[in-house]
Amino acid sequence: MKTIKKTITSLLAATAVVGAVVGSVMAAPTPPEDPYEPNNTYDTATQVTLGQEYKAEIGSMDNYLSNRYKVDEDWYKFNLEKGKTYRITMSGYTARYSETTLLISLFYPGSELDPMKNTFGDVSVRNDIRDRKVDNYDFEAPKSGTYYINFYNFFDLDNKKLNNDTGYIFSVNEIKSQVEFDKNVAEVPCGKSFTLKATIKGKKEKITWKSSNTKVATVDSNGKVTGKMAGKTFITATLPSGSIARCEVQVQYKDVTKTTDFWYKPTNYLTNQGVVKGYDNQTNFKPANVCTRAQMVTFIWRLQGSPEPKAKTCKFKDVKKSDYFYKAVIWGNENHIVEGYKNGTFGPQIVCARKHAVTFLWRLAGSPTDIHTKKTFSDVKKSDYYYTATLWASEHLILAGYKDGTFKPNGDCLRRQMVTFLSKYDANINNNWNKQQNVH
């Protein structure tokens, strides 16, 4: 198929577009059950409507491709007209393991329906989930009739990664007028602005601008984007004919803008997930401030999805129902993550020491004792209650310590250290490493 032209543009984050059929901001990291199953063969292919976004997942691995790889597949079909130009847009939005790769094949009328023959213009297309790109494939239909598209999911059996859910989004559109941005991801501090440049190819049409979250950032009719509070939003430019350009915008805290700071990505990631909050109407993070016990237990609770505690009342006399950390403290105590003091208080405003932070996370993981690391810190003794927690955190790359070989267990846990501990826990214990790579 000589008329296929491959174009790749990073239009949006792969974690950004969700909804059973149309796009919205993703509310959970785990992909839902595939609404289009069963469609794992061409004769059960799902009929696609042009211009409509489809979100699905490949999860269970039911076919062997070779001794090394397993594969699952989904099939879709759609009708195209000869001589018209179309765009297939696809992206991955979540994958449990970084080794996951999606391969897509397009079959035009008269093709042999064999994915391994790579009939997408004799080109194999691999979309690495970690790249979180949106890949666009533009082509002129050589024939009128029914076209098929096949999605393959590969993963490495050598790594024994057998529970690999992979979500993807795709759509098929006829290209009449097309709008594109000069950038697909951007950062802007709170209170600052930048302008997105939109280019229309084909018939000139009026652009409708929109921000997915106007509390985070606004956009005017000229594409000027202004950061309002820290978080993530998506700016879209839409043409009446249906073409949409998207840009993922990370609004930064005023005091967290240096991308080389070790807490930069953790702060943005946990802010976007709703785990941590800032000050001054969400415009400053204050990374050098100390973290209190109330803050730490609240952040842990939110990281776990803000589960409802079993008890309706709190046993600690210094924790009131009106406190933002009320449910978090009840839940944390019920799950043996945090304890109170002998006088019946919780001490919410007491500064959380580094040894406390690591111990809380260790308890959150179930207080594991099967630890193999030999690395120890010179200022942590076997008799210390946090000894095992420290070894566990070090083994799981949550804790690095200082260059002089110490942990400084009694040092204050600063907010920048706290977000780093939490993000590493989420990456290495909750297996959300891929999601964190999607943060700018």
Side-chain angles (χ1 to χ4, degrees):
M1 188 160 143
K2 304 298 184 183
T3 54
I4 290 183
K5 179 179 70 176
K6 177 181 174 184
T7 60
I8 301 178
T9 53
S10 299
L11 295 181
L12 64 146
T15 53
V17 183
V18 293
V21 184
V22 295
S24 61
V25 177
M26 186 166 69
T30 304
E33 293 184 3
D34 192 336
Y36 310 114
E37 291 287 355
N39 63 344
N40 60 342
T41 62
Y42 70 86
D43 55 354
T44 60
T46 299
Q47 181 69 48
V48 168
T49 300
L50 297 187
Q52 185 165 291
E53 276 186 339
Y54 289 79
K55 185 186 76 168
E57 91 172 60
I58 298 178
S60 59
M61 301 296 140
D62 41 8
N63 295 316
Y64 280 98
L65 183 61
S66 70
N67 291 331
R68 180 176 172 82
Y69 295 96
K70 255 189 168 182
V71 62
D72 191 25
E73 56 185 310
D74 286 345
W75 287 83
Y76 300 86
K77 60 183 180 181
F78 41 89
N79 298 319
L80 304 182
E81 295 182 37
K82 179 180 177 179
K84 292 188 176 181
T85 302
Y86 297 90
R87 166 171 289 182
I88 296 175
T89 299
M90 68 84 61
S91 72
Y93 68 88
T94 182
R96 193 177 301 275
Y97 300 109
S98 61
E99 291 81 5
T100 296
T101 300
L102 287 182
L103 181 147
I104 68 172
S105 296
L106 175 69
F107 306 91
Y108 46 90
S111 297
E112 182 179 354
L113 298 178
D114 183 356
M116 299 317 299
K117 294 191 176 180
N118 302 326
T119 55
F120 194 112
D122 297 323
V123 176
S124 297
V125 180
R126 293 178 181 270
N127 186 332
D128 191 330
I129 301 303
R130 290 171 295 175
D131 291 342
R132 51 200 282 281
K133 296 183 302 186
V134 166
D135 290 348
N136 292 326
Y137 306 99
D138 297 346
F139 65 100
E140 182 181 314
K143 300 180 181 180
S144 293
T146 301
Y147 289 67
Y148 288 81
I149 190 169
N150 171 275
F151 289 83
Y152 262 105
N153 181 26
F154 290 84
F155 73 105
D156 194 340
L157 281 180
D158 289 352
N159 291 320
K160 296 183 173 61
K161 299 209 169 150
L162 303 179
N163 185 19
N164 195 41
D165 297 331
T166 303
Y168 62 90
I169 303 140
F170 85 99
S171 62
V172 183
N173 297 275
E174 180 183 353
I175 298 179
K176 295 178 181 178
S177 295
Q178 179 183 339
V179 60
E180 294 181 349
F181 282 149
D182 60 329
K183 60 183 70 177
N184 304 304
V185 292
E187 300 84 29
V188 62
C190 291
K192 300 293 184 180
S193 301
F194 73 96
T195 299
L196 277 171
K197 181 181 179 181
T199 302
I200 299 177
K201 296 180 180 180
K203 180 183 177 181
K204 299 302 179 183
E205 300 180 21
K206 183 179 179 181
I207 296 175
T208 298
W209 295 87
K210 183 179 179 181
S211 170
S212 65
N213 190 337
T214 55
K215 292 182 179 179
V216 172
T218 59
V219 60
D220 67 14
S221 59
N222 296 313
K224 182 180 178 181
V225 180
T226 302
K228 295 295 185 180
M229 72 177 196
K232 183 170 67 175
T233 188
F234 296 90
I235 304 299
T236 57
T238 306
L239 300 183
S241 58
S243 177
I244 301 175
R246 293 181 175 87
C247 179
E248 175 190 338
V249 177
Q250 178 68 56
V251 178
Q252 305 161 321
Y253 292 103
K254 293 178 180 179
D255 54 0
V256 184
T257 59
K258 192 175 181 181
T259 58
T260 55
D261 287 334
F262 69 80
W263 61 90
Y264 178 81
K265 278 195 172 184
T267 300
N268 286 334
Y269 169 69
L270 293 173
T271 297
N272 297 344
Q273 296 295 313
V275 175
V276 300
K277 307 291 184 183
Y279 297 91
D280 308 320
N281 296 318
Q282 194 75 348
T283 60
N284 286 298
F285 182 66
K286 301 186 180 181
N289 277 18
V290 295
C291 179
T292 66
R293 284 168 55 86
Q295 291 173 338
M296 190 64 186
V297 71
T298 301
F299 298 151
I300 290 174
W301 176 65
R302 290 175 183 161
L303 186 68
Q304 296 305 106
S306 303
E308 194 70 22
K310 296 177 181 178
K312 300 299 181 183
T313 58
C314 185
K315 69 179 185 180
F316 300 117
K317 59 186 179 183
D318 56 349
V319 177
K320 300 176 182 178
K321 199 168 186 177
S322 58
D323 292 329
Y324 72 85
F325 47 86
Y326 183 76
K327 286 187 177 182
V329 171
I330 298 175
W331 172 84
N333 184 246
E334 285 178 345
N335 288 275
H336 310 290
I337 297 168
V338 296
E339 305 294 341
Y341 294 93
K342 292 181 180 180
N343 62 358
T345 62
F346 174 67
Q349 302 309 321
I350 293 176
V351 174
C352 185
R354 287 167 56 83
K355 62 186 178 186
H356 297 146
V358 168
T359 302
F360 291 165
L361 292 175
W362 173 67
R363 290 172 180 168
L364 177 64
S367 303
T369 56
D370 185 19
I371 300 169
H372 305 286
T373 185
K374 295 181 179 180
K375 179 179 179 180
T376 58
F377 298 96
S378 59
D379 54 352
V380 177
K381 302 176 183 178
K382 280 190 175 182
S383 57
D384 292 328
Y385 73 84
Y386 48 87
Y387 177 78
T388 302
T390 304
L391 292 182
W392 167 84
S394 176
E395 181 175 57
H396 289 279
L397 307 179
I398 297 169
L399 171 64
Y402 293 88
K403 292 181 180 180
D404 62 358
T406 63
F407 170 53
K408 302 189 189 312
N410 294 315
D412 292 343
C413 183
L414 306 181
R415 283 169 60 85
R416 65 191 181 209
Q417 295 171 332
M418 172 271 299
V419 292
T420 304
F421 288 154
L422 288 172
S423 67
K424 289 181 177 179
Y425 180 97
D426 197 45
N428 299 313
I429 305 301
N430 289 345
N431 293 321
N432 282 327
W433 180 88
N434 281 288
K435 285 176 57 182
Q436 297 194 30
Q437 307 317 300
N438 299 340
V439 179
H440 297 285

